[in-house]
Amino acid sequence: MTPFERNLEVWRQLWRVIERADLVVQIVDARNPLEFRSEDLERYVKEVDKRKNNLLLVNKADMMTSKQRKAWAEYFMAKGINFRFFSAELAKEINEAREHDEESGESGDDDVDGDSRDGALNAEDVDEVIDADDDSKLAAQADKVAIDTGEDEEIEWEDDEEHNSAAEEEQNQPPPTQDVPLSLEEQVRILTTEDLEALFLRHSPQQASSSDPSNPSRKTQIGLVGYPNVGKSSTINALLGSKKVSVSATPGKTKHFQTIHLSQRVILCDCPGLVFPNFAMTKAELVCNGILPIDQLREFTGPAALVARRIPQTFLEAVYGIAIRTRPLEEGGTGIPTGEEVLRAHARARGFFTSGQGQPDESRAARYVLKDYVKGKLLFCHPPPPVKA
């Protein structure tokens, strides 16, 4: 049995989120999605209100290869699970790159006058080079364009106004709720932040539109729930494009229920991360999955053994620049390094020794190795279980 959350107040926060939300999004870690998914929670959502829907958002999907995402997509589709792949870290990098491009563009505009006075442009300042042949082609195409009369221009203006009003009406309409089957390639694709809001609206039950302007229709509320350290707050920050929710690598940073207005149509409800009752995980797996804080860890033998068993010896030696001494086969060794052998090699290479006898400090080395595993520097992704026919 997992050390599930025993604070009743935290469970009240979850109940409030489920009661308010039209769509409950379970955010799971892509390296082991089934360990972070709670089927009991999905059933409880339907018991509260059958109109509420569930969605599995597989975060940190950039840690998986396309082949691994395809295997998991086939499994989820065979089980009838609504899912999509997402990466909050990748979305954050895209947002930062976009902001950097905008800032560099603004600074480039400010420097245009100075460059024009000098009469010369650097090669780095030129974003696009237009050849003389392209200019002649554009001029030839411009000569072919017929000039309309003023009456035709008025007709075109009227058509534009009608088109704009129709577009506004179409934008104000709620999205269709029919589930359109997606191709496997689309299911495997990692969504961007622009895709997420449309995804939330598509999977949410349709809201009744109000014709009274003084009483607008209710916003769609999206509840984000999941285990600690799966990236709920990071997902919200990626959606907003800036840091709005406190984020930490320590599990359980979010303590209270939070509501964030994403747009005129969507409200996000962030629930504190909590551990659901589960018989499948051991304490060592909880540590390796990032659910239990590593800094408060007292027993490191089990988690270190899992890391040594999952990560190849050659990869560990290449990442840390160490030489792992394993027990020979003649002396009963298996050819695979144990957790103690990995930690001792890491401690010797980093100069971690105990103060008394001068032995390698395995507990200190364990904190570094386990944190690298949780962050994905030592990457291991679980395969999906076989689908029974």
Side-chain angles (χ1 to χ4, degrees):
M1 173 67 74
T2 58
F4 60 89
E5 183 62 53
R6 290 174 172 81
N7 187 355
L8 188 59
E9 183 60 31
V10 177
W11 288 102
R12 287 196 182 101
Q13 303 288 334
L14 173 65
W15 298 334
R16 287 179 59 193
V17 169
I18 295 177
E19 288 175 357
R20 294 186 57 172
D22 303 299
L23 172 68
V24 177
V25 180
Q26 275 197 78
I27 300 180
V28 299
D29 195 316
R31 292 171 289 182
N32 197 357
L34 295 185
E35 293 291 348
F36 293 92
R37 176 182 173 231
S38 175
E39 298 183 29
D40 295 332
L41 178 64
E42 296 176 357
R43 287 192 290 266
Y44 175 71
V45 170
K46 288 296 184 180
E47 291 176 1
V48 172
D49 191 344
K50 293 183 179 179
R51 295 174 297 177
K52 298 179 184 292
N53 293 328
N54 291 287
L55 176 66
L56 196 70
L57 189 65
V58 185
N59 191 26
K60 305 178 184 180
D62 56 321
M63 295 184 179
M64 306 171 69
T65 63
S66 178
K67 184 177 180 180
Q68 290 171 331
R69 293 198 303 271
K70 182 178 180 181
W72 275 106
E74 292 174 347
Y75 173 81
F76 289 141
M77 294 170 67
K79 294 294 184 179
I81 302 173
N82 291 328
F83 75 98
R84 291 309 297 271
F85 292 104
F86 181 69
S87 173
E89 188 65 26
L90 185 62
K92 177 185 175 182
E93 294 177 359
I94 295 174
N95 290 337
E96 291 177 351
R98 188 178 304 163
E99 292 176 0
H100 181 268
D101 292 340
E102 292 176 356
E103 291 176 358
S104 61
E106 291 176 358
S107 61
D109 295 339
D110 295 337
D111 296 339
V112 167
D113 296 337
D115 293 337
S116 60
R117 294 190 192 98
D118 296 338
L121 287 175
N122 297 326
E124 292 82 6
D125 297 331
V126 181
D127 293 332
E128 184 179 0
V129 179
I130 302 178
D131 297 333
D133 296 337
D134 295 337
D135 290 340
S136 60
K137 294 178 182 178
L138 292 174
Q141 293 178 359
D143 293 338
K144 296 179 182 179
V145 178
I147 301 176
D148 297 331
T149 61
E151 295 177 357
D152 295 336
E153 291 179 355
E154 293 178 358
I155 295 174
E156 290 179 358
W157 277 106
E158 293 175 357
D159 294 340
D160 292 339
E161 292 176 356
E162 294 176 357
H163 176 73
N164 292 334
S165 61
E168 291 178 356
E169 292 178 359
E170 183 179 356
Q171 184 177 3
N172 293 329
Q173 291 293 331
T177 58
Q178 292 85 359
D179 293 334
V180 179
L182 300 176
S183 62
L184 182 60
E185 290 75 13
E186 178 64 20
Q187 295 276 30
V188 170
R189 183 175 67 90
I190 299 177
L191 298 183
T192 62
T193 53
E194 289 78 8
D195 300 327
L196 270 190
E197 183 178 357
L199 175 71
F200 292 158
L201 291 172
R202 185 167 64 249
H203 285 273
S204 301
Q206 186 173 357
Q207 300 292 333
S209 59
S210 176
S211 59
D212 186 6
S214 61
N215 186 20
S217 58
R218 174 178 173 273
K219 291 185 178 182
T220 302
Q221 303 195 37
I222 310 299
L224 303 179
V225 301
Y227 280 77
N229 208 27
V230 294
K232 296 184 300 299
S233 299
S234 299
T235 300
I236 294 176
N237 292 334
L239 283 168
L240 297 175
S242 59
K243 186 172 181 180
K244 299 293 183 182
V245 182
S246 179
V247 178
S248 174
T250 303
K253 178 65 176 178
T254 304
K255 298 297 184 183
H256 301 286
F257 163 74
Q258 306 176 74
T259 57
I260 301 98
H261 291 261
L262 179 62
S263 65
Q264 296 180 354
R265 302 169 63 184
V266 176
I267 296 178
L268 300 178
C269 303
D270 185 20
C271 176
L274 50 86
V275 180
F276 297 93
N278 192 346
F279 291 97
M281 283 190 285
T282 63
K283 188 173 182 180
E285 290 174 336
L286 290 172
V287 174
C288 292
N289 289 335
I291 298 174
L292 296 181
I294 296 174
D295 291 330
Q296 301 175 10
L297 186 65
R298 295 182 179 179
E299 198 280 322
F300 54 85
T301 306
L306 279 180
V307 173
R309 190 160 58 245
R310 293 172 177 175
I311 307 299
Q313 177 181 353
T314 54
F315 187 82
L316 289 170
E317 293 177 340
V319 169
Y320 293 121
I322 59 178
I324 303 175
R325 304 173 187 173
T326 59
R327 179 179 295 180
L329 298 177
E330 296 80 10
E331 299 180 6
T334 61
I336 301 175
T338 63
E340 290 81 358
E341 292 170 345
V342 172
L343 296 181
R344 283 197 294 267
H346 185 276
R348 291 194 195 97
R350 299 296 182 269
F352 300 156
F353 295 98
T354 58
S355 57
Q357 300 176 352
Q359 297 295 325
D361 192 348
E362 298 180 13
S363 62
R364 186 178 178 187
R367 287 194 290 270
Y368 285 90
V369 173
L370 293 176
K371 286 181 179 179
D372 288 340
Y373 184 88
V374 171
K375 292 177 182 177
K377 184 177 180 179
L378 304 176
L379 184 57
F380 179 81
C381 296
H382 290 262
V387 180
K388 297 180 180 179

